[in-house]
Amino acid sequence: MKKLINGVESVVPDALRGIAAAHPGLRVDVENQIVFRDSGPRPGKVGLVSGGGSGHEPLHAGFVGYGMLDAACPGEIFTSPVPDQMIEATTAVDGGAGVLHIVKNYTGDVLNFQLAAELSAEEGVEVASVLVDDDVAVRDSLHTAGRRGTGATVFVEKIAGAAAESGAPLAEVARVAGTVNARSRSFGVALSACTTPAAGRPTFALGDTEVELGIGIHGEPGRARSAMRPAAELVRVAMDALHEDLPLSGDVLVMVNGMGATPLIELYVAFAEVSAYLAEKGVTAARSLVGDYVTSLDMQGFSITVCLLDDELVRLWDAPVETPALRWGR
Amino acid sequence: MKKLINGVESVVPDALRGIAAAHPGLRVDVENQIVFRDSGPRPGKVGLVSGGGSGHEPLHAGFVGYGMLDAACPGEIFTSPVPDQMIEATTAVDGGAGVLHIVKNYTGDVLNFQLAAELSAEEGVEVASVLVDDDVAVRDSLHTAGRRGTGATVFVEKIAGAAAESGAPLAEVARVAGTVNARSRSFGVALSACTTPAAGRPTFALGDTEVELGIGIHGEPGRARSAMRPAAELVRVAMDALHEDLPLSGDVLVMVNGMGATPLIELYVAFAEVSAYLAEKGVTAARSLVGDYVTSLDMQGFSITVCLLDDELVRLWDAPVETPALRWGR
Amino acid sequence: MATGFEMDTAFFAAWIEESARSVAAGKERLTDLDAAIGDADHGSNLDRGFTAVVRALAVKEPDTPAALLTVVGTTLIRKVGGASGPLYGTAFREMGRALGDLGDTAEVSPGELCAALEAGLAGVRRLGSAAEGDKTMVDALAPAVRALRRALEEGSEPREAAAAAAAAAREGAEATIPMRARRGRASYLGERSVGHEDPGAASTALILTALHTVAAR
Amino acid sequence: MATGFEMDTAFFAAWIEESARSVAAGKERLTDLDAAIGDADHGSNLDRGFTAVVRALAVKEPDTPAALLTVVGTTLIRKVGGASGPLYGTAFREMGRALGDLGDTAEVSPGELCAALEAGLAGVRRLGSAAEGDKTMVDALAPAVRALRRALEEGSEPREAAAAAAAAAREGAEATIPMRARRGRASYLGERSVGHEDPGAASTALILTALHTVAAR
Ligand SMILES: Nc1ncnc2c1ncn2[C@@H]1O[C@H](COP(=O)(O)OP(=O)(O)O)[C@@H](O)[C@H]1O
Ligand SMILES: Nc1ncnc2c1ncn2[C@@H]1O[C@H](COP(=O)(O)OP(=O)(O)O)[C@@H](O)[C@H]1O
Ligand SMILES: [Mg+2]
Ligand SMILES: [Mg+2]
Ligand SMILES: [Mg+2]
Ligand SMILES: [Mg+2]
C-alpha cells in the first residue's frame, strides 16, 4: 500500500488541516472533527448537518457552504462519526429554527445519529432526520438493514440546502429532503477494490477481466461478480437496474460519479452512454454532474444516480451554491 | 488493463460525446475534436485556444467557458493535437481581436501549434502564442527541449482568460499569460505509473516502496526513483525544488493537483503540508486549488504548482469564471 | 462465580484490560473478517475504542463496577463510531445500569454479573433489532449469556461458568459462518455473506474469553 | 538506383505501403520503446498516420512521385500529432517539394531520390533543431542519407545502395541506445534516457528498410 499520508492514524486530522487551509469559507474544528461554514448559524435558518465515514471526499465536508450543509462530521475512514461530533455540530449550527440531520442508511450512521439526535433534543434543539437509501443493488426488506445511502446524498444535501437557505421551516426542509431521496436511485460498479490505510491491502481481489456489480461506497464487494465489458454495457446494466426499480421518465438529474481512481475521461465516456440510454427511453438528462462526488478511496469504478425531477426540485437544484465541491450562481 | 471505455480507438470521441451531453454551455465538434464555448466569438474579445493530448482531463476542455478558454483541441491520448484542429478552432473563435494559443512546452505541441499559427495567420487571423514551461524537474538549457508545461497551464488559462474577458488587446493578454508562466513553477511525484489504453500496461513499474520524483504528465518516468516517504517529506522534496528554482515570497497561488487516481482526502493531507511549509517560509497561500486539474490518466500521485502573485494577478484570478471544472463569481 | 466468589471494581478493570489486550492482538484478524463481508474497519474501530477506554480508566478508575462499566460504555460510544460503537457502548452502559439498579455495590456476585450481561444483550437487541441467526454479535452474545445462566443454575464454579460462557461465545461466533447476514453492512452482500465469520461475533467471543481468562486467575 | 533504374509513382506508393505494413507490424515495439523514455504512443501515432496515408492514396493515387510524397507528408501532419507527425510530415513534404523542384517527372532517378531524402532530412533538422547525437530520428536518418549518397558516388547498384542506407539507418537507430537525449520528450529523463533505443530512430529504420525491400523486389 502506497498512500500520500503521514500515518494511518493521522489521515483524518491531517486532511482536515488541509481543508482548513484550502477553504477560507470554512471553519474546521480539527480536534473534534467538524467542518463548519465560517459564517456561523443564521437566525431563523434551518441548520443542515451531515456526516459519515471519511474516504468519500468531497462528501461531506466538500459540501459545506452557502446553499448546502452548515456542518459536516467526518468519522474515521469508512467509520461513521460518533455522537459527540454530531451533537456539537447540531447545537452549533442551530439558528433557532431547528436542525436537519442527513443520514446515509448504514447501521452505524443511523445508530450514532439517533443517539446524537436524542441528546441534542435534550439540549433544546429541534432535530429532524432524513435517511438516504438510494442504492438499488441492495434488496430492501423489513428483515434487513435496507438499502444503502450513496450518491443521492449529494442531491439531498444540495436541494435541502437550497430549501433551508430560502427560509423554509424544518418540516418543509425535511419533506423536500425526503422527496429527493424517494425519487432517487443509485447503482455502482467497481473495476478494482479500494485499500483502506488500516487494512493496507485491497478489500477484495478482482481478476483482470472481472468487475463487481452493485458495490457500495465502503469497499464492500458487490452483489455479484461479472465479466469486464465495454463501458456501454456496464452502463446498461446499471441503468437497467435503476429503471427497473424506479421507472425513468420526464426530466431527470443524473450523476455519473467516479469512485476515486477513475480518470475523468472515462467518466465522460460513461456519461455519453447514460445520455444515449436515456434518450432511447425518451427521458431527458435536464441536469447532470460528472466527476468525483462520493468516492471510495482509491477504488476504480463508477456509480450512476438518477433523480426524477419536478419543477420544485429543478428550482432548488439551480439555486446558488458555494461549497468547495459544488459551486454556481454566486 | 481494465478501463471504462468502449474500445481503445474510440476513447476520445466517446468522451467528447459525454462532454457535449453533460455541458450545455459547450459546443462540441466530435468529428474534428474541438470543444467550443456555445456562445461563439464575442466581437472585439481576444480568443483563447489551447489543446494538447487527451488523458489530462479536465485540462483543457474542462476549462472552456466564460472567463477562460474559447476553444480546446484534444489530441489522441498523450498525443498533441494536429494543426487542422487548431486552425479550425482559431479561425472559429476569432472575434476580430486575434487569438492567443496557449501551448504546453512539448516538442509535439510546439511544432503542431507552430504550423497551425502560420496557417491561421495566412487565413488572416492575428495569432500570438504563449509557451507554458513550469516544470522544475526538467533541467532547462539551450541544448534541450526545455522545461515541460504542466500545472501552470491552469493558471495561465484562467488569468489570460480573465484578461481577454475584460477586453484587453492581444498583446496585453499574451503579456499577462507570459507573466503568469514566468512566475509559476511545478513539481510532480508519482506513487504509481499510468496505463494508456494503447499500451495496455503501466508505462513504468514502481515497487511497493518506491516513488518517482519529478514526473511529467504523460506517464514518463521522472528524473529519479526514490524511497516512499510520508506525505510531509514528499511535499518537502517538491517544495524545496520549487523554492530553489524560484524563491517563494509574499502571496502565492498554490495548486495541489491529483494525477488522476489519488483520493481527494490524500490531496488535502498534502495541502496541509504545503501550507505548513509556506508558513515556515513566511509565505501566504492567498489562493489555492486542491483537486484533479491536470491529470495523467490513472496515475497515482500529485503535483504542486506555485505562482507568485501580485495585485493584477489576484484580481484576474478572482474574476468570474464559468467552466465545467472551474467556476466562481457567476 | 458461585457464592463466595465476589467481583470487585479491580476485577472488572482487569476484564476490560484483558479485552483491550486481546482486541489489540486480534485487530488484524477482526479487520480481515470485516474486509470479507464489511468494510475492513472492525479491528481498528474496537482497538481505538478499547485503547481510549483503558486511557480513561487510567486517568481515574471509577470506584464501583457499575460506574466502571458505564464509563466503558460511554467511552466506546464516544470513540468507536460505526455500528459496533453504539452497540458495544450500549451493552456496557446497560450492564452498568443493571448493576446500579441492583444496588451499585463495590462487589458483584456471579448472579448479578449474569443479570448485567442479560441487560447488556437486551440493550444490543433493542438498539440493533437483530435476532439470533442474523449473523451479528448477538449470535455470540446470546448463547454466551444463556450458557452462563445455565451453568450458574446448575451450580457450577464461577470460573467453570465463565469458561462455559466463553466457549458458547466462540461457538456462536463460528456458527455465524454459514449464516446469511440480515443486519449491518454484511446484509448488503446477501448470499455472498455466507461462508464468513461475522466480525462482531468474533470480537464478542474475544471479550467473553477475556472474562474467563480474568475469572480463572 | 544506378543509371537505368528509375522509380515511378507506383514505386513510391509501394514504399509507403511497405512502410505502413512494417509500422503496423512494429507498432507494439515502437510503443514499448516510447514507454521506456517517452509516453508510449509512438507506435500508435505512426500506425494511425500511415493507415490514413494508405487510405488517402487508395482514394486517389497522385500521378507523380512528388505529388505522392506531398500527400503522404500532409496526411501525416494532419493525422499523427505529437512530435513525430510534423517531423515525418515535413520530411515527406520536403522530399516532394525537392522532386517537384527537380522537374516533377513521373520517374525519379536514384540521385534524385537521394537529393530528396537530403531535403527531407534538412526539413526535419530545421523544424526540430536536433543535431546528430541528440537521440532522435535524425540519428537514423542522417547516416542513412549519407550512406546512400556514398554508395551512389561509389557506383553501387541501386538495391545495394538502398541496402546500405537501410543498414546505416538500423545501425544509427541502435547507436542511439547509449546516447543521452537532448531533444523531444526523452530529454526530460536526462541520464535515465541512456540505455534505450530512440523510438523515432527505430521507426526511421523501419521506413528505410521498407525502401530497400521495395527496391530489391
Ligand atoms: N443491527 C445490528 N445488531 C447487532 N449487531 C450488529 C448490527 N449491525 C452490525 N452489527 C455488528 O457490528 C459489526 C460491525 O462492526 P463495525 O465493523 O465496527 O461497524 P461498521 O459495520 O459500521 O463498519 C458486525 O460484524 C455485527 O456483528
Ligand atoms: N526535436 C526533434 N527533432 C527530431 N526528432 C525528434 C524531435 N523530438 C522528438 N523527435 C522524435 O520523435 C520521436 C517521438 O515521437 P512520438 O512519440 O510520436 O511523439 P511524442 O514525443 O510527442 O509523443 C522521438 O523518439 C524522436 O525520434
Ligand atoms: Mg465502518
Ligand atoms: Mg505523445
Ligand atoms: Mg466495519
Ligand atoms: Mg511519444
Side-chain angles (χ1 to χ4, degrees):
Chain A
M1 174 191 71
K2 270 185 293 184
K3 293 192 177 289
L4 184 60
I5 60 176
N6 290 313
V8 169
E9 305 298 326
S10 68
V11 180
V12 175
D14 285 354
L16 286 174
R17 288 189 297 116
I19 290 174
H23 304 294
L26 302 181
R27 182 170 64 78
V28 180
D29 179 343
V30 175
E31 159 130 35
N32 293 308
Q33 300 194 177
I34 312 174
V35 177
F36 294 101
R37 284 198 213 183
D38 194 33
S39 54
R42 202 178 78 209
K45 185 186 104 52
V46 167
L48 255 64
V49 172
S50 191
S54 291
H56 307 303
E57 293 65 29
L59 190 80
H60 297 272
F63 299 126
V64 174
Y66 182 88
M68 223 162 158
L69 299 180
D70 292 276
C73 305
E76 292 305 310
I77 303 263
F78 289 174
T79 302
S80 88
V82 294
D84 284 13
Q85 292 167 271
M86 301 161 178
I87 296 164
E88 171 95 26
T90 304
T91 51
V93 307
D94 183 29
V99 174
L100 179 70
H101 285 176
I102 298 174
V103 185
K104 300 194 297 305
N105 188 31
Y106 298 97
T107 306
D109 295 67
V110 170
L111 296 182
N112 285 286
F113 264 108
Q114 189 177 309
L115 291 174
E118 285 165 18
L119 291 166
S120 300
E122 282 176 22
E123 298 197 24
V125 182
E126 194 187 351
V127 176
S129 288
V130 60
L131 206 62
V132 183
D133 63 344
D134 54 315
D135 187 348
V136 302
V138 173
R139 228 139 286 164
D140 193 12
S141 106
L142 264 181
H143 305 291
T144 66
R147 290 196 305 236
R148 290 178 289 229
T150 61
T153 316
V154 179
F155 298 172
V156 171
E157 292 180 0
K158 167 67 186 82
I159 289 175
E165 211 67 64
S166 78
L170 181 58
E172 172 60 11
V173 176
R175 180 197 62 77
V176 79
T179 302
V180 174
N181 180 60
R183 300 171 74 108
S184 297
R185 296 292 187 276
S186 294
F187 190 92
V189 176
L191 276 60
S192 81
C194 60
T195 299
T196 64
R201 57 176 174 281
T203 47
F204 54 85
L206 263 185
D208 252 10
T209 56
E210 294 177 326
V211 295
E212 280 278 331
L213 301 176
I215 47 129
I217 57 173
H218 296 88
E220 317 96 312
R223 282 195 74 86
R225 188 156 297 191
S226 164
M228 177 63 192
R229 278 165 282 178
E233 290 177 37
L234 293 178
V235 164
R236 181 164 294 275
V237 168
M239 293 301 292
D240 281 346
L242 300 182
H243 185 58
E244 192 185 315
D245 201 272
L246 181 72
L248 303 173
S249 67
D251 281 2
V252 299
L253 162 62
V254 200
M255 174 167 72
V256 169
N257 170 61
M259 301 310 293
T262 313
L264 184 54
I265 192 171
E266 298 182 26
L267 297 180
Y268 278 119
V269 168
F271 190 76
E273 301 304 333
V274 169
S275 154
Y277 182 101
L278 290 172
E280 227 175 66
K281 293 254 180 306
V283 176
T284 306
R287 298 291 184 277
S288 64
L289 290 178
V290 180
D292 284 5
Y293 293 97
V294 181
T295 60
S296 194
L297 290 172
D298 57 347
M299 178 178 272
Q300 200 194 343
F302 69 102
S303 65
I304 304 176
T305 304
V306 176
C307 174
L308 304 182
L309 291 171
D310 61 18
D311 289 348
E312 176 188 39
L313 298 187
V314 171
R315 185 174 48 74
L316 292 169
W317 180 258
D318 287 344
V321 60
E322 185 175 350
T323 70
L326 225 51
R327 188 164 179 171
W328 56 73
R330 262 166 77 103
Chain B
M1 173 190 70
K2 269 184 294 184
K3 293 192 179 289
L4 185 59
I5 60 178
N6 289 315
V8 169
E9 307 297 327
S10 68
V11 180
V12 175
D14 285 354
L16 286 173
R17 288 190 296 117
I19 290 174
H23 304 295
L26 302 181
R27 182 169 64 79
V28 180
D29 179 343
V30 175
E31 159 130 36
N32 293 308
Q33 299 195 178
I34 313 174
V35 176
F36 295 100
R37 283 197 212 183
D38 194 34
S39 55
R42 202 178 77 210
K45 186 186 102 57
V46 168
L48 256 64
V49 171
S50 193
S54 290
H56 306 303
E57 292 66 28
L59 191 78
H60 300 269
F63 299 126
V64 174
Y66 181 88
M68 223 161 157
L69 299 179
D70 292 276
C73 306
E76 292 303 310
I77 302 264
F78 288 175
T79 302
S80 87
V82 293
D84 284 12
Q85 291 168 270
M86 300 161 179
I87 296 164
E88 170 96 25
T90 303
T91 50
V93 307
D94 184 27
V99 174
L100 180 69
H101 285 177
I102 299 174
V103 185
K104 301 195 296 306
N105 187 32
Y106 299 97
T107 307
D109 296 67
V110 170
L111 296 182
N112 285 286
F113 264 108
Q114 190 177 307
L115 291 173
E118 285 165 18
L119 291 167
S120 300
E122 282 175 22
E123 298 198 24
V125 182
E126 194 186 351
V127 176
S129 289
V130 59
L131 206 63
V132 182
D133 63 344
D134 53 317
D135 188 348
V136 302
V138 173
R139 229 139 283 163
D140 193 10
S141 105
L142 266 182
H143 306 289
T144 66
R147 290 194 305 233
R148 291 179 288 230
T150 60
T153 315
V154 180
F155 297 172
V156 171
E157 292 179 0
K158 167 67 186 79
I159 289 175
E165 211 66 65
S166 78
L170 181 58
E172 173 59 14
V173 176
R175 180 197 62 77
V176 79
T179 303
V180 175
N181 180 59
R183 299 171 75 108
S184 297
R185 295 292 185 280
S186 293
F187 190 92
V189 176
L191 275 60
S192 81
C194 60
T195 299
T196 64
R201 56 176 176 283
T203 47
F204 54 86
L206 263 184
D208 252 10
T209 57
E210 293 176 327
V211 294
E212 281 277 333
L213 300 177
I215 46 128
I217 57 174
H218 297 89
E220 317 96 313
R223 281 195 74 86
R225 189 155 295 190
S226 164
M228 178 62 192
R229 278 165 281 176
E233 291 176 37
L234 292 177
V235 164
R236 181 165 294 275
V237 168
M239 293 302 291
D240 281 345
L242 301 181
H243 184 59
E244 193 186 315
D245 200 90
L246 181 72
L248 303 173
S249 67
D251 281 2
V252 299
L253 162 63
V254 199
M255 174 168 72
V256 169
N257 171 62
M259 301 310 294
T262 315
L264 185 55
I265 191 172
E266 298 182 25
L267 297 180
Y268 278 120
V269 168
F271 190 76
E273 301 303 332
V274 169
S275 153
Y277 182 101
L278 290 172
E280 227 176 66
K281 294 256 182 300
V283 176
T284 307
R287 299 291 184 276
S288 64
L289 291 178
V290 180
D292 284 6
Y293 293 97
V294 182
T295 59
S296 194
L297 290 172
D298 57 348
M299 177 179 272
Q300 198 193 345
F302 68 102
S303 65
I304 304 176
T305 304
V306 176
C307 174
L308 304 182
L309 291 171
D310 60 18
D311 289 349
E312 178 187 37
L313 299 187
V314 171
R315 186 174 46 75
L316 292 168
W317 180 258
D318 287 345
V321 60
E322 186 176 349
T323 70
L326 224 51
R327 188 163 178 170
W328 56 74
R330 263 165 77 102
Chain C
M1 303 187 197
T3 330
F5 187 94
E6 303 284 313
M7 290 156 285
D8 58 9
T9 308
F11 173 89
F12 284 95
W15 174 31
I16 296 306
E17 270 163 39
E18 182 59 25
S19 298
R21 248 193 304 280
S22 72
V23 162
K27 179 177 168 179
E28 262 208 53
R29 188 179 144 252
L30 295 176
T31 289
D32 285 352
L33 292 176
D34 200 25
I37 56 171
D39 58 352
D41 64 355
H42 189 58
S44 39
N45 284 351
L46 273 200
D47 187 41
R48 183 175 61 251
F50 273 99
T51 303
V53 163
V54 168
R55 203 172 302 135
L57 295 181
V59 172
K60 183 182 171 303
E61 185 161 315
D63 47 16
T64 65
L68 185 139
L69 292 170
T70 305
V71 168
V72 170
T74 306
T75 307
L76 290 177
I77 289 176
R78 298 177 73 130
K79 295 296 173 186
V80 174
S84 59
L87 290 166
Y88 273 127
T90 299
F92 281 103
R93 281 175 59 86
E94 291 297 321
M95 288 177 71
R97 189 198 315 234
L99 293 182
D101 291 350
L102 289 173
D104 195 10
T105 53
E107 306 257 305
V108 172
S109 72
E112 287 169 336
L113 172 65
C114 188
L117 279 165
E118 282 163 348
L121 170 61
V124 169
R125 282 195 148 125
R126 196 172 50 249
L127 193 61
S129 333
E132 276 181 81
D134 284 356
K135 197 176 184 119
T136 70
M137 56 175 70
V138 170
D139 291 305
L141 191 53
V145 172
R146 269 200 304 276
L148 184 63
R149 169 67 61 203
R150 191 176 326 114
L152 292 176
E153 282 171 3
E154 288 168 0
S156 300
E157 286 298 299
R159 59 189 60 176
E160 262 180 78
R170 287 191 299 267
E171 279 159 33
E174 255 185 61
T176 63
I177 296 177
M179 291 177 186
R180 178 185 165 139
R182 275 191 295 263
R183 292 287 162 193
R185 203 176 285 286
S187 69
Y188 307 140
L189 290 185
E191 266 312 316
R192 292 176 89 193
S193 65
V194 169
H196 302 275
E197 186 172 338
D198 177 64
S203 59
T204 296
L206 291 183
I207 293 168
L208 272 293
T209 299
L211 178 67
H212 171 230
T213 304
V214 172
R217 271 182 194 154
Chain D
M1 304 188 199
T3 329
F5 187 95
E6 303 283 311
M7 289 155 286
D8 58 7
T9 308
F11 173 90
F12 284 96
W15 173 31
I16 296 306
E17 271 163 36
E18 181 59 25
S19 297
R21 249 193 302 280
S22 75
V23 162
K27 181 177 167 178
E28 261 208 53
R29 189 179 144 250
L30 295 176
T31 288
D32 285 352
L33 292 177
D34 200 27
I37 58 170
D39 59 351
D41 63 356
H42 188 58
S44 39
N45 284 349
L46 273 200
D47 186 42
R48 182 174 61 250
F50 274 98
T51 303
V53 163
V54 169
R55 204 172 302 134
L57 295 181
V59 172
K60 181 181 171 300
E61 185 161 315
D63 47 16
T64 65
L68 185 139
L69 292 171
T70 304
V71 168
V72 171
T74 306
T75 308
L76 290 177
I77 289 177
R78 297 177 75 130
K79 294 296 174 187
V80 175
S84 59
L87 289 166
Y88 273 126
T90 297
F92 282 101
R93 280 175 59 87
E94 290 296 321
M95 288 177 71
R97 186 197 318 234
L99 292 182
D101 291 349
L102 288 173
D104 197 8
T105 53
E107 305 257 306
V108 172
S109 73
E112 287 170 334
L113 172 66
C114 187
L117 280 165
E118 282 163 347
L121 170 61
V124 169
R125 281 196 149 125
R126 197 171 48 249
L127 193 61
S129 333
E132 277 181 80
D134 283 357
K135 197 176 185 118
T136 70
M137 57 175 69
V138 170
D139 291 305
L141 189 55
V145 173
R146 267 201 305 276
L148 183 63
R149 169 66 63 204
R150 193 176 322 113
L152 292 176
E153 283 172 2
E154 288 170 359
S156 300
E157 287 296 301
R159 56 189 62 173
E160 260 179 77
R170 288 191 298 266
E171 279 160 31
E174 255 186 60
T176 62
I177 296 177
M179 291 178 186
R180 180 186 164 136
R182 275 191 294 264
R183 291 287 162 193
R185 205 178 283 287
S187 69
Y188 306 141
L189 290 184
E191 268 312 318
R192 294 176 87 191
S193 64
V194 169
H196 302 274
E197 186 172 339
D198 177 64
S203 59
T204 295
L206 291 183
I207 294 168
L208 272 293
T209 298
L211 179 65
H212 172 230
T213 304
V214 172
R217 270 181 196 157

